[in-house]
Amino acid sequence: MSQRSVSATQQQANTRLVKRLLLATAIMFGFGFALVPLYDVFCDITGLNGRVYQKDTQQTQAAQNLVAPLTEAEQDNIDVTRSIKLEMMTISQAGGAILFEPIDKTLRIHPGQMAEARFRITNVSKDAKYVQAIPSISPGQAGLYLHKTACFCFEQQHIEANQQNEFVMQFYLDTDLPEDILQMTLAYTLY
Amino acid sequence: MNSVTSTQDTIQHGSDQGHDSHHGPAKGIKRWLYTTNHKDIGSLYLWFAFIMFLVGGAMAMVIRAELFQPGLQIVEPHFFNQMTTVHGLIMVFGAVMPAFTGLANWMIPMMIGAPDMALPRMNNLSFWILPFAFLILLASLFVEGGGPAFGWTFYAPLSTTYSGDSTALFVFSVHIMGISSIMGAINVIVTIWNMRAPGMTWFKLPLFVWTWLITAFLLIAVMPVLAGAVTMVLTDKYFGTSFFDAAGGGDPVMFQHIFWFFGHPEVYIMILPAFGIISTIVPAFSRKKLFGYTSMVYATVSIALLSFLVWAHHMFTTGMPVYAELFFMYCTMLISVPTGVKVFNWVATMWRGAISYEVPMLFSLAFIVLFTFGGFSGLMLAITPVDFQYHDTYFVVAHFHYVLVTGAIFSLIAAAYYWLPKWTGVMYDVGLAKLHFWCSLISVNVLFFPMHFVGLAGMPRRIPDYSIQFADWNQIISLGGFAFGLSQLIFLALVIKACRKQGEPVADKVWDGAEGLEWTVASPAPYHTFTTPPKIQD
Ligand SMILES: [Cu+2]
């Protein structure tokens, strides 16, 4: 092209570097997607974002098999020196078709004590619906210490047209709950 | 005295230009469509960026006109949202980034003594896909339901569940922008890595080259993550995935983590080349060597590395655990150390220098002062507890416009005034340039400074209406906005005049204190430079 034509070695070096940079680009594109599972792992460890985790579901099976012994064991383990205030919040994302409200709006419980929160879901539409509730807890770290033994949010719920159902969630708070958490909010969003 | 040096240079490099005649620019539109010449492509990038700057500026004028008074007067709220969104996208991806790429194309080969960019054909491609990206983005404003209205940060679920049909167009155009900047970045890295003239060692590289090299690595690291984020938005919206949808087991907050993993390094992509420009201009008009060259290089590298550890400072209000908030707060504050090193070095360069106040220097001085303001308000925002008050208010708007307008844009204007005579061969209209400087300097502060006040008082951003107590300041802000917008037309007129070669011819070394290989070639810079590598003196 010009007097100082690009030499063959130069050309080779360029191609090699371009290949490496393209590889780096591809890796970073993959990394963008890898952030999704990484984020889940990270949240699991740190309790970021107030999710309630899959392991609760597994514990549930164990808990249901051993209801009596577990409660007994728990009895000894109740931390009566503390009482935590829980507030229930509900959001329905199903438009106007489904009404969703907590029956127990606030609860006071000791860590280690079994408790129940009741919710009411009303289908005001003319069709039967399947709904799924997604929980979220704040402050986020508290999510690590809330253990559910039964929850309507574990699976989809079926509601007939114009029907009202009550649902319960059984849970207890871990006695390891950090001292600085005095109050928690449980929010359920219904889809 | 100037002319003496320049004659010598011309004689020295006369041999360079002799053999250029066989390969001059082609004629007409084909020259621009098919060009692989780094100077042509640089000019294309710069003109494209300037046009986009005016288009995005026009949208800002719509925003300021609506906010001139409380209540809704001129545009619908939905259209207002489209304006804030597309204004942001155009200014970031259409104006600032292509303008820096244009400067890189023009100057990097000339600064390192290379005949052209390493990959000229890819260079042509990376420019020519850009206009299509922005045509698609602008066309999306005219589809039914309007263009993107979810803010340039396109948070889910605004961009997934609640967005209009134009979202596919938005995603497609962001993909093209991303591909273009990745190709541009690869080109810059390969050029700097492999094409330096013999003797141009790493620590002789001009700082503009250094900062661009690091910027290019940042681009390769984060633009693919942005591409991933828009792809996930696309599949969430149209193909039933649930990356960001809690109903399907996803998490909308995760969107923010992915976006800001790209987004924070992105702000350094827009400011590191600016640091390079200021580090070039300040020594030239202080007639001293840059103070602390190596510390500048290391400061740039550490800013780039730290930029990957601070993304969640945009998300303090999403309910993170306290220790995470503290971590991101301290990391963010840590960045002010290398940045402070830079500001200190610029001031130390000027200290006891023989300073003269040519227009590039005026813009550089304004940059140093006003960018530092923007840095300070950034430091305020970094403090987690007060961020809860500042978050999503006009204080944030004031902060990032100080770093982007009086930072990035001012540095670009300074660069244009510094190298324009080299590009065109004539001195631009200095009177007009000074008028442009003073009008811009005053109006930009009238425009952005009061935003701090209304922000602290609680005025939220991205809302077309506001409470009555903010009315006075908003009127002043809007007037400043209109004045700043009009001032840029002075710049347009000046550049057109200079490109038509109206002005005094300049010597090869336009500024007596300037250093660098670009001043050893003729003015205007011949179509091909350094076809034989220059000799690098110590
Ligand atoms: Cu940031």
Side-chain angles (χ1 to χ4, degrees):
Chain A
M1 185 182 131
S2 58
Q3 238 56 3
R4 186 192 175 193
S5 62
V6 183
S7 67
T9 42
Q10 172 105 71
Q11 199 77 50
Q12 272 175 353
N14 286 359
T15 319
R16 199 165 52 233
L17 189 52
V18 171
K19 277 186 186 150
R20 280 186 193 159
L21 293 170
L22 283 175
L23 181 70
T25 309
I27 290 173
M28 286 314 291
F29 187 67
F31 178 73
F33 286 90
L35 282 173
V36 177
L38 277 176
Y39 177 76
D40 284 344
V41 172
F42 193 69
C43 288
D44 222 351
I45 297 165
T46 60
L48 204 81
N49 282 348
R51 289 197 188 174
V52 184
Y53 301 99
Q54 217 58 40
K55 60 174 184 244
D56 292 349
T57 331
Q58 284 140 22
Q59 278 179 357
T60 312
Q61 261 88 49
Q64 274 163 351
N65 298 339
L66 300 161
V67 174
L70 188 86
T71 0
E72 235 170 68
E74 293 294 319
Q75 289 298 349
D76 310 328
N77 223 344
I78 295 176
D79 180 357
V80 288
T81 58
R82 289 195 279 167
S83 114
I84 312 295
K85 185 177 172 198
L86 278 120
E87 292 190 337
M88 311 298 160
M89 268 179 62
T90 54
I91 303 143
S92 173
Q93 286 283 16
I98 309 275
L99 304 180
F100 181 34
E101 57 200 325
I103 298 170
D104 311 296
K105 290 201 172 59
T106 56
L107 289 173
R108 267 191 176 280
I109 59 166
H110 303 300
Q113 175 189 2
M114 285 299 294
E116 253 184 29
R118 289 169 302 156
F119 296 85
R120 184 184 299 125
I121 301 178
T122 318
N123 184 352
V124 292
S125 73
K126 294 193 179 67
D127 311 298
K129 297 254 178 187
Y130 281 99
V131 293
Q132 169 74 56
I134 305 279
S136 167
I137 297 167
S138 65
Q141 298 105 298
L144 293 175
Y145 304 96
L146 184 104
H147 303 293
K148 297 179 184 180
T149 52
C151 181
F152 63 103
C153 60
F154 289 159
E155 51 220 21
Q156 288 202 336
Q157 301 291 341
H158 182 76
I159 309 174
E160 294 296 333
N162 294 312
Q163 207 195 331
Q164 192 172 73
N165 281 9
E166 268 187 30
F167 294 99
V168 290
M169 183 216 23
Q170 288 182 338
F171 65 98
Y172 65 93
L173 291 174
D174 210 304
T175 43
D176 297 337
L177 186 76
E179 294 281 341
D180 57 339
I181 298 177
L182 302 172
Q183 190 171 357
M184 294 167 58
T185 306
L186 261 96
Y188 280 91
T189 311
L190 199 70
Y191 293 93
Chain B
M1 188 190 136
N2 232 343
S3 57
V4 178
T5 3
S6 68
T7 343
Q8 283 170 347
D9 282 352
T10 325
I11 293 163
Q12 265 174 7
H13 293 276
S15 58
D16 275 4
Q17 292 139 36
H19 50 70
D20 280 337
S21 46
H22 72 282
H23 192 85
K27 293 275 171 293
I29 183 82
K30 280 192 175 166
R31 163 176 177 187
W32 301 105
L33 278 178
Y34 298 138
T35 185
T36 55
N37 179 286
H38 72 103
K39 300 189 183 77
D40 280 353
I41 295 174
S43 304
L44 285 171
Y45 264 113
L46 288 170
W47 272 111
F48 177 77
F50 198 4
I51 293 165
M52 282 296 125
F53 177 60
L54 296 176
V55 172
M59 293 174 180
M61 297 299 106
V62 174
I63 295 168
R64 282 324 313 176
E66 176 57 53
L67 292 173
F68 191 72
Q69 285 184 330
L72 298 176
Q73 287 90 26
I74 298 167
V75 293
E76 294 281 309
H78 184 56
F79 188 70
F80 183 90
N81 290 344
Q82 294 170 44
M83 287 291 103
T84 54
T85 304
V86 183
H87 163 76
L89 288 168
I90 285 188
M91 288 308 198
V92 169
F93 296 105
V96 175
M97 288 168 67
F100 280 129
T101 313
L103 286 179
N105 264 292
W106 250 104
M107 303 317 301
I108 287 179
M110 274 165 50
M111 284 176 156
I112 63 172
D116 203 314
M117 296 294 277
L119 312 157
R121 286 200 194 87
M122 192 169 87
N123 207 9
N124 172 294
L125 184 65
S126 66
F127 172 75
W128 276 112
I129 58 176
L130 260 194
F132 294 99
F134 285 90
L135 279 177
I136 293 169
L137 182 64
L138 289 172
S140 77
L141 288 171
F142 299 98
V143 304
E144 212 175 295
F150 30 67
W152 84 278
T153 50
F154 60 104
Y155 277 15
L158 289 177
S159 56
T160 51
T161 316
Y162 302 103
S163 61
D165 293 332
S166 62
T167 310
L169 294 177
F170 157 81
V171 169
F172 191 44
S173 80
V174 172
H175 271 308
I176 301 177
M177 294 169 204
I179 291 169
S180 164
S181 21
I182 289 169
M183 289 198 295
I186 290 178
N187 214 341
V188 166
I189 295 175
V190 178
T191 306
I192 300 174
W193 216 269
N194 288 348
M195 308 271 290
R196 281 169 288 135
M200 179 57 83
T201 52
W202 285 109
F203 281 92
K204 276 188 202 146
L205 283 184
L207 260 168
F208 180 70
V209 180
W210 257 118
T211 51
W212 237 113
L213 179 69
I214 295 159
T215 304
F217 277 112
L218 281 182
L219 278 166
I220 287 181
V222 299
M223 289 309 280
V225 178
L226 174 72
V230 289
T231 308
M232 287 184 238
V233 164
L234 186 80
T235 58
D236 263 19
K237 183 162 174 65
Y238 296 100
F239 304 113
T241 58
S242 307
F243 288 108
F244 308 128
D245 186 1
D251 189 339
V253 178
M254 185 179 68
F255 173 85
Q256 298 184 29
H257 284 288
I258 296 177
F259 179 82
W260 287 114
F261 182 83
F262 146 80
H264 192 82
E266 169 69 16
V267 307
Y268 292 112
I269 286 166
M270 292 191 282
I271 205 66
L272 294 184
F275 291 163
I277 291 166
I278 303 304
S279 306
T280 311
I281 294 177
V282 167
F285 296 100
S286 306
R287 289 158 189 86
K288 275 176 65 188
K289 281 239 176 293
L290 181 70
F291 184 89
Y293 171 91
T294 18
S295 69
M296 282 297 209
V297 174
Y298 288 123
T300 313
V301 175
S302 39
I303 291 174
L305 292 177
L306 279 173
S307 74
F308 288 102
L309 295 177
V310 298
W311 77 90
H313 62 205
H314 299 267
M315 307 169 51
F316 283 147
T317 58
T318 55
M320 280 187 290
V322 176
Y323 51 84
E325 306 215 316
L326 289 176
F327 171 80
F328 287 111
M329 173 169 108
Y330 289 129
C331 279
T332 306
M333 291 179 161
L334 205 57
I335 291 190
S336 59
V337 176
T339 317
V341 167
K342 285 182 171 289
V343 175
F344 176 82
N345 284 350
W346 292 323
V347 175
T349 305
M350 289 187 282
W351 179 254
R352 297 203 168 158
I355 301 178
S356 60
Y357 298 95
E358 281 87 348
V359 183
M361 185 64 167
L362 290 176
F363 272 100
S364 300
L365 289 172
F367 171 98
I368 295 172
V369 174
L370 298 176
F371 174 78
T372 307
F373 275 15
F376 282 141
S377 57
L379 212 46
M380 289 170 74
L381 285 161
I383 305 168
T384 311
V386 292
D387 180 71
F388 277 70
Q389 186 195 344
Y390 303 159
H391 188 83
D392 256 348
T393 68
Y394 259 80
F395 190 81
V396 179
V397 180
H399 157 69
F400 67 72
H401 281 94
Y402 263 90
V403 289
L404 285 176
V405 180
T406 59
I409 303 268
F410 268 33
S411 82
L412 284 163
I413 296 174
Y417 281 129
Y418 187 60
W419 284 307
L420 195 57
K422 174 55 68 189
W423 299 336
T424 62
V426 297
M427 182 49 81
Y428 45 80
D429 186 335
V430 174
L432 219 50
K434 289 204 164 147
L435 182 72
H436 174 222
F437 172 71
W438 288 109
C439 288
S440 299
L441 180 72
I442 295 167
S443 60
V444 85
N445 283 295
V446 175
L447 165 58
F448 294 123
F449 207 75
M451 286 186 183
H452 292 111
F453 312 148
V454 290
L456 287 179
M459 179 170 158
R461 64 190 281 215
R462 291 176 176 163
I463 310 274
D465 189 6
Y466 49 84
S467 307
I468 198 87
Q469 71 267 28
F470 304 129
D472 291 349
W473 279 125
N474 270 287
Q475 228 160 60
I476 292 169
I477 291 169
S478 285
L479 290 174
F482 303 143
F484 185 71
L486 288 175
S487 309
Q488 303 323 304
L489 299 180
I490 306 175
F491 186 46
L492 179 64
L494 178 142
V495 175
I496 290 174
K497 259 180 88 175
C499 288
R500 289 187 172 163
K501 317 261 175 192
Q502 294 172 10
E504 288 285 305
V506 290
D508 292 355
K509 193 172 179 183
V510 179
W511 316 103
D512 63 293
E515 282 197 47
L517 289 176
E518 74 263 37
W519 307 108
T520 63
V521 302
S523 294
Y527 199 57
H528 293 292
T529 40
F530 298 127
T531 42
T532 44
K535 290 222 157 46
I536 316 285
Q537 304 100 332
D538 288 299

